[in-house]
Amino acid sequence: MNILEQFNLHGKTALVTGGSRGLGLEIAYGLHQAGARVALLARRESFFAEALKLIPKAITIVADVQDEASLEAAFAQVGPVDILVNAAGITWGQDALEVPVEKVRQVLDVNITGAFLASRIAARGMKAKGYGKILNVASVAGLAGSPSEIMDAAAYSASKGGLIALTRDLAVKWGPFGIRVNALAPGFFPTRMTEKLLPRIEALVQARTPLGRLGQTGELAAAALYLCSPASDYVTGQVLAVDGGMTAL
Ligand code: NAP
């Protein structure tokens, strides 16, 4: 097969949780450009207006990954998916000695349980087809600890470490069904999630990043496309850091 054909997603359907903005939308746009039919899922309708300017043909679904019934309804609306991207995520910045337990639970619930629930709904259809791709958007925060002055969000780090463990475990369990499960570990990228954080920590991040800068909009989509396309059909259970070399230090 022609090498570029291995990145072709014509005839495939992709559902992207957290696809209404930020990194999820960037990934969805990349999959759309590669030919996939794309469904975007998020809690708030209001963010879909901008997303639809980028991907006018996208299916938009208001749902909460914390709610299994709303996820079931979302997948029923889209039909069988070939690709699931779990990009829905939240964070909470507060000293680990003081953060309220409800915030800890909420972050873990959205970032881990939400991905778990969406993955198993998607996997039922993928198992029936004997093929599927699940991509979890983890973080460098799931690979190493962060000093408080860079990121004071211990539950977030725990959630992303858990998501990486989930990626590996489901890759082992579902490999025999032809379902590939991989993760991205992005470094720091400008999005709504980081808009207040980055101006404060940019110099610190730069100093700890071999490439000497933050990630830029558009620098994650190609790595996501690789892990969602036939180009990576012999790759499963892996974590690809897109972090300017931060985790190589
Ligand atoms: P963002 O702009 O805040 O996007 C988060 C997305 O998740 C939105 O679409 C949001 O829509 C959706 N979402 C949040 N909670 C949800 C829920 N319970 N159910 C359904 N959708 C939900 O942040 P982002 O930076 O693009 O983050 C995307 C992913 O990348 C996250 O998993 C984040 O942890 C990860 N990440 C980001 C960075 C970074 O530097 N930006 C680095 C590493 C990893 P609603 O609010 O409308 O639900």
Side-chain angles (χ1 to χ4, degrees), residues 18 20-23 43-44 64-65 87 138 156 160 187 189 191 193:
S20 64
R21 60 172 191 262
L23 300 183
R43 289 167 306 175
R44 282 172 286 184
D64 189 330
V65 297
Y156 179 80
K160 295 302 183 178
F189 286 76
T191 65
M193 181 183 276

Side-chain angles (χ1 to χ4, degrees), residues 109-229:
D109 199 44
V110 173
N111 296 3
I112 305 183
T113 315
F116 183 93
L117 294 176
S119 296
R120 73 175 179 184
I121 299 169
R124 290 182 195 126
M126 292 174 178
K127 184 180 173 189
K129 275 193 190 177
Y131 185 87
K133 299 269 188 180
I134 296 175
L135 178 63
N136 293 323
V137 182
S139 167
V140 290
L143 293 168
S146 305
S148 299
E149 61 273 23
I150 294 188
M151 228 175 52
D152 213 7
Y156 179 80
S157 299
S159 76
K160 295 302 183 178
L163 187 58
I164 287 169
L166 182 69
T167 301
R168 294 192 177 118
D169 195 59
L170 294 182
V172 171
K173 287 181 166 61
W174 295 347
F177 309 144
I179 303 172
R180 286 82 167 162
V181 189
N182 292 290
L184 287 174
F188 290 86
F189 286 76
T191 65
R192 190 167 187 266
M193 181 183 276
T194 55
E195 69 188 355
K196 293 205 176 81
L197 180 71
L198 290 186
R200 224 170 0 97
I201 65 162
E202 182 164 355
L204 289 171
V205 173
Q206 280 172 352
R208 291 167 165 263
T209 305
L211 291 180
R213 62 171 176 81
L214 303 175
Q216 292 167 359
T217 303
E219 288 192 308
L220 198 61
L225 174 59
Y226 169 64
L227 291 172
C228 290
S229 67

